[in-house]
Amino acid sequence: MNTAYAPQRPSGIPDTLRLPSRDTRTSLTDRIALHLGLRLLIWGTRTPRLTDDRERHARARRAHTATASREHGYLREALLAPRP
């Protein structure tokens, strides 16, 4: 095979590997879609607080309810107590 008669390219890169010049910036619509998709992926893989530890959640809720009940009872007694 005689390569002297083949078309010669000055860059040495075949035309099939050259990419046409293109705009390197991503459009606003694509950036919004990518941002939204990332947020949805992060939101979908989170572990909800209630399913993390049901017993710990129930204990904290009971403690909060008991504290609120004690505070309410104290304030009720303080407001209803006769004044000297």
Side-chain angles (χ1 to χ4, degrees):
M1 180 164 124
N2 192 354
T3 58
Y5 297 114
Q8 301 295 315
R9 291 175 187 84
S11 67
I13 300 173
D15 286 337
T16 56
L17 296 180
R18 283 190 197 160
L19 295 176
S21 63
R22 60 183 173 154
D23 190 13
T24 58
R25 297 183 327 177
T26 308
S27 70
L28 178 63
T29 308
D30 288 339
R31 283 187 282 151
I32 290 172
L34 288 170
H35 185 73
L36 179 64
L38 179 63
R39 291 294 175 189
L40 285 173
L41 281 173
I42 291 171
W43 183 79
T45 57
R46 77 195 187 326
T47 55
R49 203 174 37 146
L50 184 59
T51 60
D52 188 24
D53 187 4
R54 287 186 178 274
E55 182 59 36
R56 182 175 53 91
H57 181 73
R59 194 175 357 172
R61 176 75 177 157
R62 282 192 302 267
H64 176 69
T65 304
T67 302
S69 176
R70 278 194 310 273
E71 289 174 354
H72 179 71
Y74 173 77
L75 290 175
R76 184 174 184 277
E77 290 296 322
L79 290 172
L80 293 177
R83 295 187 181 195

